């Protein structure tokens, strides 16, 4: 899922979350000749009820009014705005929901949503860390309420903790949130400590793996094997949503961990294998962070290639079953 | 900051004739461990802690008969029988820093806050001190910690703050480490932002050495000296 209108959200100069990111991602996929194998579709406007399932009406109204009034920031100087920011944020949500719908209706096997602005820091009533609407959180609510699923897994491997996603679901046992990120004492936003495990009925539905600055692939592989894999012993997800952030990459200055391009391929392969086993491959991956223009093309290409390969496997499986 | 800002004002108190089983229940219900004992004028006359009560409980090593007898005795035991009659109190002019140092010295988990005439106006616990420290450090708010190595000379901190201000960034706190390699200090600004790349670049351009805060925690300064 990609839409040129995502480029309209202008964060001004010197802001890492800028439109060139998406151009780089698209170019990587295009140059590798993958476009002909993919179904590329644009974003659509979402029904407001899905956004209201996560965000307060007061916040949505405030965002809309401030944006259309031309205010340059929302809630914090990190969140730069132009007049198109609100509508772009709406489209990002709409695009992700539409991707989920297409997967649920078996029109697609899985999907990667190259969206801006990102979403995992957005709280119910507050913009944070370049995020305005919780794209992934809203998609999870859509799956719960529209499709009546009761077991959803969100995997977040952005270098920063997805505080928004966690807070929205931390008391809800039907959504498991797993995140691997740089340790909160050394990285924004300062949440996602290992003792944060969910609250009330949702106790046990949050799992955070924290990584010290300087950690590399082996550390991240170890954490994922230690903390993510056991989730599947107790929980059998019907759908997997992935918050895909490429900013733990060694060349990305937005974090201080040293993750290679290869780790990202390893990670999405592992996730796809788990998806094949548990959700019949049903998965939607949504872009969060990742800011190095020279690395994004390859990272995105590798990511989409893995999704595509699994899509082929699934089709072959279906074909052989039919025969 | 004065303790009056951090203390609990609605103090749960008992009088010296309160039965200790009742005091135990009050502690459990309110999840507290310190009960100031006051007279009819709300003047402090002692303090009863959960440790005082635990010490008064019969030992499980007693045989059934002795245990039962000791248990009966408990129903007659009053606060005045086991409380500390000279509690360590602090005045409203005491600062949080004073209270922390006093805790380090005495290891008492809470201090009644008492006016000059002996009247109780609050209680400040280690939890309250930690809460205030957390606020001062800004760690409850989303942000990013930097670590900047500076030479120990006048004006370095000003330069850092100026650069951060030029970048229009909000500072949660600035801690300065006193113990560092000779002639150097580590400055830790906690910035309320995710986007610290530009300010880091500017600080480096201004000649400052930036290291990972985690490297400093690992106490490996010489490598970067």
């Amino acid at each position: 899922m990609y839409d040129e209108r995502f480029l309209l959200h202008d964060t001004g100069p010197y802001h890492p979350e800028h439109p060139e990111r998406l151009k780089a991602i698209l170019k990587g996929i295009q140059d590798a000749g993958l476009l002909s194998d993919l179904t590329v579709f644009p974003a659509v406007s979402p029904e407001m009820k899905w956004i209201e399932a996560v965000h307060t009406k007061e916040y949505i109204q405030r965002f809309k009014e401030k944006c259309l009034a031309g205010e340059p920031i929302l809630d914090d100087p990190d969140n730069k705005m132009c007049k198109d920011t609100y509508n772009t944020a709406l489209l990002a949500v709409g695009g992700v929901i539409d991707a989920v719908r297409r997967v649920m209706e078996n029109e697609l096997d899985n999907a990667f949503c190259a969206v801006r602005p990102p979403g995992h820091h957005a709280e119910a009533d507050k913009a944070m860390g370049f995020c305005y609407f919780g794209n992934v959180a809203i998609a999870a609510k859509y799956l719960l309420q529209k499709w009546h699923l009761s077991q959803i897994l969100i995997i977040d491997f952005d270098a920063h903790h997805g505080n928004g996603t966690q807070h929205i679901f931390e008391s809800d046992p039907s959504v498991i949130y797993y995140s691997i990120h740089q340790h909160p004492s050394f990285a924004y936003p300062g949440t996602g400590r290992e003792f944060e495990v969910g609250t009330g009925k949702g106790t046990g539905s949050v799992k955070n793996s924290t990584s010290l600055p300087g950690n590399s692939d082996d550390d991240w592989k170890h954490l994922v094997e230690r903390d993510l894999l056991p989730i599947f012993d107790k929980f059998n997800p019907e759908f997997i949503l992935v918050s895909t952030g490429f900013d733990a990459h060694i060349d990305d200055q937005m974090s201080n961990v040293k993750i290679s391009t290869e780790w990202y391929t390893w990670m999405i392969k592992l996730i796809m294998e788990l998806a094949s086993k548990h959700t019949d491959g049903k998965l939607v991956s949504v872009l969060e962070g990742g800011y190095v223009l020279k690395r994004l093309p390859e990272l995105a290409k590798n990511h989409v290639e893995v999704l595509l390969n699994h899509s082929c496997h699934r089709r072959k499986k279906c074909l052989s079953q039919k025969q | 900051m004065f303790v009056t800002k951090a203390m609990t004002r609605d103090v749960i108190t008992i009088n010296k004739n309160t039965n200790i089983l009742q005091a135990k229940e009050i502690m459990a219900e309110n999840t507290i461990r310190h009960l100031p004992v006051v007279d009819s004028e709300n003047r402090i006359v002692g303090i009863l802690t959960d440790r005082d009560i635990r010490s008064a409980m019969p030992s499980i090593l007693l045989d059934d008969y002795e245990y039962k007898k000791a248990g009966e005795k408990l129903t007659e035991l009053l606060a005045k029988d086991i409380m500390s009659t000279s509690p360590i109190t602090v005045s409203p002019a005491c600062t949080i820093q004073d209270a922390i140092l006093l805790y380090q010295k005495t290891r008492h988990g809470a201090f009644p806050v008492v006016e000059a005439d002996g009247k109780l106006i609050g209680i400040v616990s280690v939890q309250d001190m930690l809460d205030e420290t957390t606020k001062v450090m800004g760690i409850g708010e989303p942000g990013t910690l930097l670590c900047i190595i500076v030479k120990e000379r006048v004006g370095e901190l000003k330069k850092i703050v100026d650069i951060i201000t030029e970048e229009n960034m909000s500072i949660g706190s600035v801690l300065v480490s006193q113990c560092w390699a000779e002639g150097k200090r580590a400055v830790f600004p906690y910035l309320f932002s995710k986007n610290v790349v530009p300010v880091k670049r500017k600080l480096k351009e201004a000649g400052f050495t930036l290291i990972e805060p985690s490297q400093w925690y690992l106490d490996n300064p010489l490598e970067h000296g």
Side-chain angles (χ1 to χ4, degrees), chain B residues 47-83:
Chain B
I47 192 163
L48 189 68
T49 68
D50 64 337
R51 189 178 288 189
D52 296 330
I53 293 179
R54 274 207 307 272
S55 307
M57 290 290 140
S59 164
I60 53 163
L61 299 174
L62 298 176
D63 63 35
D64 286 354
Y65 174 73
E66 285 172 326
Y67 191 85
K68 205 177 153 202
K69 228 172 130 186
E72 280 164 11
K73 235 181 173 177
L74 277 180
T75 58
E76 291 157 22
L77 209 55
L78 306 178
K80 65 182 175 189
D81 300 324
I82 60 166
M83 70 182 188

Side-chain angles (χ1 to χ4, degrees), chain B residues 84-99:
Chain B
S84 313
T85 50
S86 48
I88 300 173
T89 62
V90 296
S91 81
C94 172
T95 61
I96 294 281
Q97 292 93 318
D98 292 333

Side-chain angles (χ1 to χ4, degrees), chain A residues 14-16 76-78 120-121 126 128-130 158 160 182 185-190 213 247 253-254 256 291, chain B residues 139 141-145 168-170 190-198 200-201 204 212-215 217-218:
Chain A
Y14 316 118
H15 197 286
D76 184 282
D78 275 353
H120 71 158
H121 292 307
K126 196 166 67 171
M128 260 179 75
F130 322 156
D158 186 277
H160 305 91
Q182 191 172 325
S185 288
F186 309 109
Y188 186 91
D247 48 357
Q253 290 182 49
M254 290 294 288
N256 303 297
Y291 306 93
Chain B
I139 44 182
E141 294 279 314
T144 311
L145 186 71
N168 201 16
M169 303 192 90
S170 185
Y190 187 71
L191 304 179
F192 288 149
S193 177
K194 179 178 179 178
N195 183 15
V196 294
V197 175
K200 278 167 109 174
R201 194 184 304 131
K204 281 182 193 159
E212 270 312 302
S214 58
Q215 278 173 354
Y217 292 162
L218 295 169

Side-chain angles (χ1 to χ4, degrees), chain A residues 123-171:
Chain A
E123 294 279 355
D125 57 356
K126 196 166 67 171
M128 260 179 75
F130 322 156
C131 302
Y132 306 82
F133 288 139
N135 302 323
V136 167
I138 294 168
K141 283 278 186 188
Y142 167 78
L143 281 166
L144 291 174
Q145 292 175 11
K146 172 84 181 181
W147 293 90
H148 307 293
L149 299 194
S150 57
Q151 301 198 75
I152 296 164
L153 174 64
I154 299 174
I155 299 173
D156 184 337
F157 57 79
D158 186 277
H160 305 91
H161 175 240
N163 55 292
T165 316
Q166 175 175 311
H167 290 151
I168 287 152
F169 292 111
E170 64 189 351
S171 61

